[in-house]
Amino acid sequence: MIKRLSIALCLSLLAFSCSKDESTPDKPTTPVDPKPPVVVPPIGNDKDIPDPKSFVIPEEYSDYYKDIDWSKTGMELKRELATLITKTHKSISYTPGIWEAIRYTDEDPENKDNVLLIYGWPDKDSKNSTIQQRSINKNLSYDTDANRHKRWEREHVFAKSLAKTKDQLALDANPRHGYIGTSIPEIAGTDAHNLRSINGSWNSTRSNKKFADGKGNSGSVGSYNWYPGDEWKGDVARMMLYMHIRYEVNKDPKYDRYTNASKVGVPINSRAPLTDSMIDLFLKWNAEDPVSEIERRRNEYHGNPQNPEFRYSQGNRNPFIDNPSLANVIWRMPMYMAENKWKK
């Protein structure tokens, strides 16, 4: 009897051990941290960032900056510059204003009959392609969609739809002749500092892709992003820095932070120690690609509304073209140290 009970007990224990749910995972032997550690990239030496009190501003436009308090840095200086470029901004029409302004501002330094096309490739690479060409006759502006591949048009470098959110409309560029809008989307949509000449088909290819880092000539990065090209990345960066501060605070509070850099670009390191939605991508490009002659020419035109030859001048300047190192004075990150053009 005892033997039978012992056998039954052993069988019972064996059955219990086999009935364990093998789909139930074993508990980990070591704890898992649900939040990975914050990895802060090296940011360089802050001593390399210029002291704005030491700036020597060129006489030809020093008067424009006369009310700036150069003892300020960081977000305080950003607000001062934003106030300046906002109060000196006089909106112009999309048609004919932007067309006519671009014919002067984007003039090819090597051929005065042409305009340079943003994202264009060097001649040796474009191989006579009309789409990737970097220069075209000023008179060959947009006429019909059928001819876009061999005509130039106006590119919103901060793509219009990227500004749109649940509460904010996209940039608005009304083509009606002589029309000057007064809403924030209309003012931003015709802001000359965000508009460049471009081949029509290449404009369509870029579409509303966000900017991302790359190398070489312009083109898509994956399916959703865009690299402007080695020649143009600095131009793009300084335009996006301008848009970031110009429309951060607006007369209509609904549109505050309207054209923040994080809406239009992909960070290189999302954990970079930056504030107010700035991204490291534009600081990197600003440092790597110095100011070009065409950028200087654009600031000369739009910053001199009193010049009767500059009929469609917008009245304000892009401070980051005048001195790229202002980006470092505001957002730091000396690992991407831009040129200080106001150095003693």
Side-chain angles (χ1 to χ4, degrees), residues 302-313:
H302 289 295
N304 287 285
Q306 70 279 4
N307 189 326
E309 295 183 13
F310 299 163
R311 179 180 174 187
Y312 295 102
S313 170

Side-chain angles (χ1 to χ4, degrees), residues 50 90 117 133 135 233:
K90 180 183 178 183
L117 303 177
Q133 66 183 327
S135 182
K233 62 184 178 182

Side-chain angles (χ1 to χ4, degrees), residues 119 148 153-163 171 194 198-211 219-220 223-227 264:
Y119 317 141
R148 288 186 75 190
E153 57 192 45
R154 299 158 294 187
E155 152 79 338
H156 284 84
V157 179
F158 192 116
K160 291 184 287 186
S161 64
L162 291 180
L171 301 180
N194 184 46
I198 188 174
N199 172 271
S201 290
W202 213 219
N203 189 12
S204 179
T205 300
R206 188 261 161 139
S207 186
N208 65 347
K209 295 182 177 76
K210 287 188 173 185
F211 292 114
S220 296
S223 299
Y224 305 105
N225 302 317
W226 182 260
Y227 180 61
V264 72

Side-chain angles (χ1 to χ4, degrees), residues 21 55 61 69 113 131 309:
D21 182 2
F55 285 157
Y61 57 79
D69 182 352
D113 293 329
I131 295 175
E309 295 183 13

Side-chain angles (χ1 to χ4, degrees), residues 268-320:
I268 298 170
N269 188 324
S270 59
R271 298 184 185 277
L274 290 164
T275 57
D276 80 334
S277 298
M278 179 47 63
I279 61 174
D280 57 351
L281 176 72
F282 297 131
L283 297 181
K284 178 176 183 283
W285 288 355
N286 179 47
E288 290 178 341
D289 181 23
V291 173
S292 63
E293 171 60 22
I294 195 172
E295 291 179 271
R296 187 203 62 75
R297 186 176 174 88
R298 288 169 63 83
N299 250 11
E300 175 193 21
Y301 184 94
H302 289 295
N304 287 285
Q306 70 279 4
N307 189 326
E309 295 183 13
F310 299 163
R311 179 180 174 187
Y312 295 102
S313 170
Q314 188 170 278
N316 64 350
R317 304 180 69 88
N318 181 339
F320 303 103

